[in-house]
Amino acid sequence: MTAPAQVAYADVLRVWREADGIPQIEHAWLFDHLMPLGGDPNGPAFEGWTLLSALAARTERLRLGVMVTSNRFRPPAVLAKIAATVDVVSGGRLEFGIGAGSRPEPAARREYAAHGLPFHDPVHAVGSLAEACAIIRRLWTEPAPFDFRGDYHQLTGAFCAPKPVQRPHPPILVGGQATPTLRVAAEHADVWNMPGGSIDKAIERSTQLDRLCEEIGRNPAEITRSIVLPVSYDRPRDTRHAVRAALDGGFGHIVLGLPAPYPTEVARWAADTIITPLSGKTTAPEPRNHR
């Protein structure tokens, strides 16, 4: 995962193109914020889906996505069209990540006011997310226009063409840890992502997701468990231990968060130093120019 803030486009492209040639790295991710969350508050931050489409056109193998799309930023029918376009551009490599939107923290909250976007309460945000997931799935799969009359979204003659390349649709990843969001994941997600935090907390939330699936009659094993883990360039052993703990806790989809600035050949370093040793092979030296 390369957060596209406080970095240049060339830096992100370099890491993604390098990762594209490394089989141990299966997927790559951006985030969805319109302003930086750390560092210079007036520094650069790229729009996630526009950047994702550019990176999709410059890579060939990686699965790719936004971890995760803020449902507060774009109407769901528009988002479905954007995502379908990226799936076509990538040749069917999109992983569609979506969540309720930012928590009410000052660094994240300010981007809504700055862009004229409403910041509704959590009940509204989660209800809107549930309807958005249903709308997007229908737009990707239904052959004829349809109307939708929900509590949060109303559509007339909704239709998406072209459809995504992937059938029946790109995998839907729902991110979040609050119980209401987990209910949305239980109903709609192919993958559920825990956005950081301790492994113990992630396992507890995963167990709660199991219970919510059982309440609606869904097999919990149908949902892949995902987690974002920060990478330490100076303490790779700590990162490996975190990855091992996540794997042992049932999280088979690991997202390594790379801090910027990105060292030279950082994707190769991550593969050789973080990923490969977990299969019992030797480690590589520290990445160059990482200080």
Side-chain angles (χ1 to χ4, degrees), residues 4-291:
Q6 313 292 10
V7 295
Y9 168 60
D11 295 324
V12 179
L13 178 62
R14 166 175 60 86
V15 176
W16 280 51
R17 285 177 61 83
E18 180 188 350
D20 198 40
I22 301 173
Q24 297 100 313
I25 300 175
E26 298 174 336
H27 40 91
W29 300 84
L30 303 173
F31 77 4
D32 193 28
H33 289 282
L34 304 176
M35 291 178 162
L37 296 185
D40 180 2
N42 299 319
F46 292 99
E47 196 283 318
W49 278 96
T50 310
L51 181 58
L52 187 67
S53 191
L55 295 167
R58 299 293 301 275
T59 54
E60 298 179 355
R61 181 192 58 84
L62 289 168
R63 306 286 300 174
L64 44 84
V66 175
M67 183 70 74
V68 288
T69 309
S70 171
N71 186 55
R72 301 177 193 262
F73 284 171
R74 307 164 191 85
V78 174
L79 179 58
K81 172 70 78 171
I82 293 170
T85 299
V86 173
D87 199 50
V88 171
V89 170
S90 69
R93 292 183 285 127
L94 177 66
E95 302 271 330
F96 179 71
I98 190 169
S102 303
R103 295 184 293 267
E105 299 171 355
R109 181 73 177 265
R110 72 187 184 108
E111 62 189 338
Y112 292 88
H115 292 86
L117 297 169
F119 193 91
H120 298 292
D121 62 53
V123 173
H124 185 288
V126 175
S128 174
L129 174 64
E131 290 187 1
C133 288
I135 289 167
I136 291 166
R137 188 190 300 271
R138 291 185 64 183
L139 284 165
W140 286 344
T141 58
E142 295 195 10
F146 63 88
D147 297 343
F148 184 91
R149 296 289 179 264
D151 294 328
Y152 306 94
H153 302 286
Q154 295 79 41
L155 307 176
T156 301
F159 187 66
C160 181
K163 303 294 187 191
V165 172
Q166 298 178 81
R167 295 290 186 269
H169 54 74
I172 296 174
L173 180 151
V174 174
Q177 58 180 301
T179 296
T181 304
L182 292 179
R183 291 186 188 279
V184 177
E187 182 175 357
H188 295 284
D190 301 297
V191 184
W192 163 67
N193 178 262
M194 175 73 175
S198 72
I199 299 299
D200 288 343
K201 180 67 171 179
I203 292 172
E204 185 274 324
R205 294 285 79 197
S206 182
T207 301
Q208 174 69 355
L209 178 59
D210 289 345
R211 290 192 288 265
L212 295 171
C213 286
E214 290 164 357
E215 286 180 6
I216 63 173
R218 185 177 183 189
N219 181 358
E222 293 178 359
I223 303 177
T224 298
R225 311 306 161 101
S226 171
I227 189 169
V228 178
L229 298 174
V231 168
S232 172
Y233 299 138
D234 295 315
R235 299 182 303 279
R237 179 178 297 179
D238 292 349
T239 305
R240 291 196 300 272
H241 287 168
V243 173
R244 173 49 61 195
L247 293 170
D248 291 344
F251 288 80
H253 185 275
I254 307 297
V255 181
L256 298 174
L258 299 181
Y262 308 121
T264 301
E265 297 180 357
V266 66
R268 171 53 63 188
W269 176 86
D272 291 347
T273 306
I274 305 300
I275 302 170
T276 300
L278 293 169
S279 62
K281 298 183 180 180
T282 58
T283 63
E286 288 189 355
R288 291 179 280 160
N289 306 327
H290 72 287
R291 296 189 185 277

